[in-house]
Every structure is written in structure tokens, then in C-alpha cells.
Amino acid sequence: MPILMRLVTAITSILLLTSPGFAPIGARSIRTGVDAKPALWVVKDADTTIYLFGTIHVLRPDVRWFHGPVKTAFDKSGTLVLEVVTSDKATVAAATARLAIDPDGPPLTDKLAPAMRAKYLSLLGSSGLSQAQLDPFYPWFAAVTLSLAPLQKLGYSPDSGVEDVLKAAAEKSGKSVVPLETVEGQLGFFAGLPEKTQIAFLGSTIDEAATLGTEITRMVGEWSAGRPEALADDMNDSMKDMPEIAETLLYQRNRNWAEWIGERMKQPGTVFLAVGAGHLAGKGSVQEELKANGFAIKRVE
């Protein structure tokens, strides 16, 4: 599985609000319903229970997953924990502008070698985007934008993503909603990558564009069937290609979140923690980090 497919599961969901490559999708995307049974884990002691649920940030609206053990665990919880929490799109857009736009450098196309530039411009055209739309941005933002455009054509939408559903349900039931990271912090993971790495990221996006639809269909199928082992097998192989990105966007965050969970276990209560499914599968996952710290993790059947 290409690295982008792991990043789509683990990528910051706030980018979906600002990317010019992801516009709202109407009812035309609805298909025959799919009853998903995604994986759920729990870590607990005498007075604290924390559920761990892997999310998909973009889904088709026909994928039904908020039922069974997932819904039961959510209903039992007094707190919902997400990667980031924001309802102010203007604030997100402003933060993205600060961190994604290159105010001093040359246009993005001038940063690319001739062969990559030709492929990039071709992909822009097939994605319905213009060179002018992305020229002011750093390469990482163009890579994210171009990875999302094919998903829109397949009917995937952030409005149907797991986080939006959980947040709305939490607000309706009066649960507290807590973020693990800030908007600026999430965007900073991308913005802090060296330009050479960002361009390599964009190059991988261009090369993988033709297969993104097939890959995410398989990935969502594995997620829906509750098969994190299969998801991990696909994901682990892709991590070898770009270790710097994997360390920044996945492994370091997994360690941070495992530490957060360890501290939260010192307080009583029940928590439903939902993060990108890529963080809860494979080598270096949050579960592995927790086990290394002495916690017992159980799959909820």
C-alpha cells in the first residue's frame, strides 16, 4: 500500500476543511449501504477505562459504523478525545495560510525538476485544479490536496468521516470533547519537513495518483471488516519508503499519545479516544507503545 494511503487514515483532518481539492459532495455519492464493524480496543484498571478507536477521516455517507460495541463504548464514556477539535473554519484557514503558503520562495512549479513538473501539471489538469491555485503553497500542501482529489470522485467526504459524527454525538449528549493536539501543531508536522522531503512526498503523490482509488477501497474494506492485522500488513511495507515522514507524522505522535493515555489512566472515568486508524495498526502503533509501558490492551469483541 502506498504511504499516502496510510497518511489518509492518519492525516490531520483539519486539512480537509481548507484543501482546494476537496469540495462538498451531494447526494449523488450515496450507494448501497455498508454495515461496518471496525476494531475497538480498551485499556482499563479499577476506576479508569479508555477505549481506543481507529478512525477514517473521509468516508462515503453509506458506510454505517456507529452501532454495536462502538456505540455502546461511546455511550458509556463521559469524554471524547480527538486528534484536534475546532469548529471555526476561519481559524483553520488562517493557520493553514500561515504554515502552507511560501511567502518568499519561488512558485511551486519552479521548485520541481522538469520531469516531475510535467507529471504534476498533468495531474493538476485531471484533478480540476489550476497551476495558479497551488503555486503559492509549499510542496506538502500540494501533495495533500492532490491525494484528496481522487477520493472526492469516489464519493468520499469529510462530512461523513468518523470525527464529525462522533463530535456531533458528543455535543448532543453533553460529553466533553478534548483535543490531543492543536491546529497549529498538526499543520506544523507537515510544515517542519525539509523541502527536499516535501518534494519527495509530492512526487510519491503524483506517482500513486492512479491507484489511490483502488488502495483506499481496500483499506476501507479492511477497516470496515475489523481487520487491523491486514491493514497493518499493508501499511508497514509502505513506511519503509519515507522514514522521515513516518517518524514525524506517525511514530512520534503515537509515543506522545501513549504517554497521554498513561497519564489519563491516573484519573477515574471512562474515555472514548478516536484517532486515525493508521495510528492503531502495525509496528510502532499506540497499542505497542502502551504495552511497552506496562499496560494491557484488550480487543473489544
Side-chain angles (χ1 to χ4, degrees):
M1 175 180 288
I3 190 172
L4 271 174
M5 283 300 94
R6 179 158 185 167
L7 294 181
V8 165
T9 68
I11 210 167
T12 170
S13 55
I14 59 174
L15 288 173
L16 303 174
L17 301 177
T18 58
S19 171
F22 216 103
I25 304 172
R28 61 180 173 79
S29 63
I30 297 177
R31 308 176 186 179
T32 303
V34 176
D35 285 316
K37 298 179 180 179
L40 178 70
W41 295 265
V42 65
V43 53
K44 62 194 308 182
D45 58 22
D47 59 0
T48 307
T49 298
I50 299 181
Y51 292 101
L52 307 177
F53 183 56
T55 71
I56 301 288
H57 296 318
V58 292
L59 278 175
R60 298 195 316 267
D62 61 306
V63 179
R64 297 185 292 266
W65 56 269
F66 199 28
H67 53 75
V70 173
K71 182 66 161 57
T72 299
F74 178 84
D75 289 343
K76 290 179 179 178
S77 302
T79 301
L80 170 66
V81 178
L82 299 173
E83 292 181 31
V84 68
V85 178
T86 179
S87 57
D88 185 352
K89 293 185 178 182
T91 299
V92 174
T96 303
R98 288 196 303 273
L99 293 170
I101 293 177
D102 185 353
D104 303 315
L108 174 57
T109 45
D110 290 353
K111 299 177 182 179
L112 308 180
M116 182 185 292
R117 185 185 308 132
K119 293 180 181 179
Y120 169 71
L121 294 175
S122 176
L123 182 56
L124 280 180
S126 63
S127 301
L129 297 167
S130 69
Q131 177 180 337
Q133 282 179 283
L134 291 180
D135 254 355
F137 292 93
Y138 288 109
W140 69 261
F141 188 80
V144 170
T145 297
L146 288 171
S147 71
L148 296 175
L151 304 185
Q152 180 189 13
K153 296 179 180 179
L154 293 172
Y156 289 89
S157 167
D159 293 337
S160 300
V162 172
E163 285 83 0
D164 278 8
V165 174
L166 290 175
K167 185 170 180 288
E171 292 172 346
K172 183 176 180 180
S173 60
K175 301 180 192 297
S176 59
V177 183
V178 176
L180 289 167
E181 298 169 340
T182 64
V183 172
E184 289 78 6
Q186 283 207 340
L187 294 176
F189 291 128
F190 292 92
L193 294 171
E195 184 173 276
K196 182 178 178 180
T197 303
Q198 293 185 34
I199 291 175
F201 182 22
L202 177 56
S204 294
T205 305
I206 295 167
D207 292 339
E208 297 166 4
T211 62
L212 283 179
T214 300
E215 297 294 347
I216 196 170
T217 296
R218 183 172 67 183
M219 181 194 70
V220 172
E222 292 168 348
W223 177 83
S224 298
R227 299 175 58 211
E229 298 84 3
L231 198 58
D233 287 343
D234 284 335
M235 291 173 174
N236 286 340
D237 186 60
S238 70
M239 290 295 97
K240 296 181 294 186
D241 299 332
M242 293 183 128
E244 188 171 7
I245 289 180
E247 173 62 25
T248 299
L249 299 182
L250 293 167
Y251 300 134
Q252 182 57 57
R253 296 168 77 198
N254 291 350
R255 293 190 288 271
N256 293 343
W257 297 349
E259 182 177 350
W260 186 96
I261 292 168
E263 288 299 312
R264 183 59 184 79
M265 289 296 296
K266 298 175 183 179
Q267 306 173 39
T270 302
V271 174
F272 191 94
L273 185 146
V275 297
H279 294 283
L280 301 180
K283 181 181 178 181
S285 66
V286 172
Q287 296 98 313
E288 279 200 355
E289 294 296 331
L290 286 170
K291 289 176 183 178
N293 293 334
F295 292 99
I297 313 298
K298 181 181 179 181
R299 173 83 178 263
V300 177
E301 300 297 338

